[in-house]
Amino acid sequence: METPRIATTQPAVLSLEPGTYYWCRCGRSNTQPFCDGSHQGTSFTPVEFTMTEKKQVALCQCKHTTTAPFCDGSHKRL
Ligand code: FES
């Protein structure tokens, strides 16, 4: 199994509007923490998630979280 690239070792804390988002799982996107299609040619696909209300979230950018797309603190163990 391929290992994701570590985009950076801190989460992206963002205030997201309601809507559908695609979190980059591969770590190659230039528009972190969201997918920009750079996963093409890898075994990775983005994680779709939906926000039903405006909310501040911490999105994983180390790509090692077990609660994707949200940060679970895994970046502290890398
Ligand atoms: Fe990383 Fe799409 S660019 S999952």
Side-chain angles (χ1 to χ4, degrees):
M1 194 175 141
E2 274 183 280
T3 304
R5 191 175 286 175
I6 297 170
T8 185
T9 53
Q10 57 186 17
V13 179
L14 302 171
S15 182
L16 295 182
E17 298 289 337
T20 300
Y21 298 88
Y22 295 88
W23 175 75
C24 168
R25 189 199 300 263
C26 73
R28 290 169 166 77
S29 174
N30 290 311
T31 57
Q32 292 294 333
F34 303 110
C35 175
D36 72 352
S38 297
H39 61 268
Q40 280 190 14
T42 73
S43 61
F44 294 103
T45 53
V47 173
E48 180 182 322
F49 68 102
T50 301
M51 301 293 296
T52 55
E53 58 185 297
K54 183 173 181 174
K55 194 174 169 188
Q56 182 167 297
V57 294
L59 297 178
C60 172
Q61 299 197 102
C62 79
K63 312 304 175 183
H64 286 70
T65 183
T66 58
T67 57
F70 305 106
C71 174
D72 71 351
S74 290
H75 60 274
K76 293 176 190 155
R77 294 187 292 277
L78 295 175

